[in-house]
């Protein structure tokens, strides 16, 4: 199975960089400077380079509020960066020893029993296992320690949305 590692949409990132509202209706926090080793951007899917500014904001990676639509903190490069192309294991998934993976239904709800903390070497295999289940539309990867959303994994490249 070919996996697509989906970054946050570029149009949304551009709006946030311009001061647009985050999931809590607030402008992203500015002024934080990256160390280069601990501020993973959810657009380029790698750490913001050392010395570069990054944004801190609340993100809800679901189309609408509902009981399963978790909102939480993320980082983005404050300056321009290139969206991850989707293929291959992105750097953001190599910075922690393990990650929390959860399968979501086509209705954007947790598929119970799918949530598991897996070592980074096992992310690809477990995501593929979950995506082989027809009940599961996508797999969200979160920090195993802080629960922060990292990225979404799909079975194939999705149709690009506007
Ligand atoms: Zn970035």
């Amino acid at each position: 199975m070919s996996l697509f590692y989906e970054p946050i949409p570029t149009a949304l990132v551009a709006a946030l960089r311009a001061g647009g509202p985050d999931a809590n209706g607030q402008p992203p926090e500015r002024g934080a400077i990256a160390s280069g080793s601990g501020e993973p951007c959810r657009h380029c899917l790698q750490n913001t380079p050392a010395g570069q500014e990054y944004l801190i904001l609340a993100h809800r990676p679901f189309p609408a509020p509902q009981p399963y639509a978790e909102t939480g903190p993320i980082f983005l490069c404050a300056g321009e960066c290139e969206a991850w192309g989707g293929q291959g294991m992105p750097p953001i998934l190599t910075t922690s020893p393990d990650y929390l993976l959860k399968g979501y239904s086509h209705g954007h709800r947790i598929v119970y029993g799918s949530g598991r903390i897996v070592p980074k070497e096992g992310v690809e295999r477990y995501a593929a296992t979950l995506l082989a289940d027809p009940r599961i539309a996508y797999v969200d990867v979160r920090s195993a320690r802080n629960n922060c959303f990292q990225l979404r994994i799909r079975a194939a490249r999705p149709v690009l949305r506007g």
Side-chain angles (χ1 to χ4, degrees):
M1 175 184 292
S2 180
L3 301 183
F4 180 80
Y5 297 87
E6 184 179 82
I8 290 178
T10 298
L12 173 60
V13 174
L16 290 162
R17 284 175 177 153
D22 70 6
N24 288 334
Q26 300 173 308
E29 290 185 10
R30 299 200 74 104
I33 302 300
S35 69
S37 61
E39 299 82 18
C41 170
R42 275 61 164 192
H43 185 239
C44 58
L45 301 185
Q46 49 199 303
N47 281 319
T48 298
Q52 301 285 307
E53 183 186 14
Y54 64 99
L55 305 178
I56 305 172
L57 60 121
H59 182 59
R60 188 192 66 232
F62 302 95
Q66 43 94 358
Y68 291 87
E70 294 173 75
T71 299
I74 64 163
F75 304 141
L76 290 172
C77 299
E80 289 292 313
C81 67
E82 191 170 340
W84 182 256
Q87 304 301 317
M89 182 66 66
I92 195 174
L93 293 184
T94 62
T95 58
S96 179
D98 46 25
Y99 294 90
L100 168 62
L101 271 63
K102 274 184 288 185
Y104 282 79
S105 72
H106 296 272
H108 309 288
R109 291 175 174 244
I110 292 169
V111 174
Y112 284 106
S114 68
R116 187 181 296 177
I117 292 174
V118 296
K120 63 181 176 185
E121 299 81 5
V123 166
E124 188 167 15
R125 188 170 65 174
Y126 188 55
T129 299
L130 291 180
L131 289 166
D133 183 334
R135 297 174 302 161
I136 293 178
Y138 53 83
V139 173
D140 278 3
V141 183
R142 289 175 174 267
S143 162
R145 287 160 186 76
N146 302 315
N147 196 41
C148 300
F149 177 78
Q150 305 293 304
L151 55 80
R152 180 160 291 168
I153 303 177
R154 296 182 188 274
R157 193 181 182 94
V159 175
L160 294 176
R161 293 176 297 264

